[in-house]
Amino acid sequence: MSILKIARMGHPVLLAKAGLVEDVSAPEIQALIAAMAETMFDAGGVGLAAPQVHVGLRLFVFRVPASRGDGVEIPLRAVVNPMIVPHEAAGRELGWEGCLSIPGLRAAVPRWREIRLSGLDEDGKAFDEVLTGFAARVVQHEADHLDGVLYPMRMEDFSRFGYNEELDRYPQELL
Ligand code: NI
């Protein structure tokens, strides 16, 4: 296992569209998933997409800690070749997001409240489920990385963008 280097905003790998994973069971994909999980935990993140570690494949890992998920915890998961369909009737909501490729900053970003997510798990098994709230937010953020989209590109109000230390000192209400 190993800790991987995380690309920071400005590196072109973060703007490229990633390619499909053909064989989830391939040893190099299994090793990549393990290393991405280790890297995410080491960095204290809740999600990490393959392009962030310089690999142009449609794959991410994520987790939802109990403190962030309205009490609903999602342990570490890998998602391969994801497809997202927003449930537009549920609307969008603003929520705070950071990104391991944009260290030290966070912003309020609009995301769909509810999505349908399908794809393959770390064993190559197909799944199809509905996610809401923070889990839906994390998945939309990570899936965006696979298309070269970073959260500032989703923002509509740049007054809600700042350094973590300052936003901790001067909390902003999201209404
Ligand atoms: Ni990110």
Side-chain angles (χ1 to χ4, degrees):
M1 301 259 278
S2 52
I3 308 278
L4 304 169
K5 184 178 181 194
I6 299 175
R8 292 188 304 172
M9 183 166 63
H11 193 297
V13 73
L14 294 172
L15 299 176
K17 192 172 163 68
L20 289 170
V21 175
E22 290 188 0
D23 179 6
V24 183
S25 66
E28 61 270 26
I29 298 297
Q30 291 294 307
L32 174 63
I33 291 171
M36 284 173 57
E38 192 177 1
T39 302
M40 178 185 75
F41 281 110
D42 176 71
V46 294
L48 184 68
Q52 292 181 275
V53 293
H54 308 263
V55 177
L57 290 174
R58 304 189 77 77
L59 154 64
F60 62 82
V61 294
F62 81 103
R63 66 192 175 108
V64 175
S67 59
R68 305 289 297 276
D70 313 316
V72 180
E73 187 175 1
I74 299 179
L76 172 68
R77 285 184 55 183
V79 178
V80 179
N81 299 339
M83 270 267 301
I84 289 179
V85 179
H87 288 178
E88 296 186 9
R92 300 192 305 164
E93 64 186 349
L94 273 182
W96 293 102
E97 285 181 31
C99 180
L100 295 176
S101 294
I102 311 174
L105 294 161
R106 69 171 178 259
V109 182
R111 299 284 184 187
W112 298 109
R113 280 180 209 273
E114 190 174 293
I115 59 169
R116 180 172 168 189
L117 171 69
S118 56
L120 304 175
D121 68 12
E122 60 271 27
D123 299 317
K125 193 162 169 280
F127 68 87
D128 188 338
E129 66 192 30
V130 172
L131 293 174
T132 59
F134 188 70
R137 172 172 299 277
V138 173
V139 163
Q140 289 171 81
H141 175 121
E142 298 311 324
D144 265 355
H145 276 299
L146 310 182
D147 291 321
V149 174
L150 300 172
Y151 77 71
M153 302 174 187
R154 296 288 189 195
M155 290 184 66
E156 292 169 358
D157 178 357
F158 285 90
S159 70
R160 298 180 185 281
F161 194 12
Y163 289 95
N164 289 325
E165 289 153 10
E166 303 302 337
L167 291 167
D168 289 343
R169 288 168 68 194
Y170 305 106
Q172 293 185 9
E173 293 288 321
L174 294 185
L175 295 174

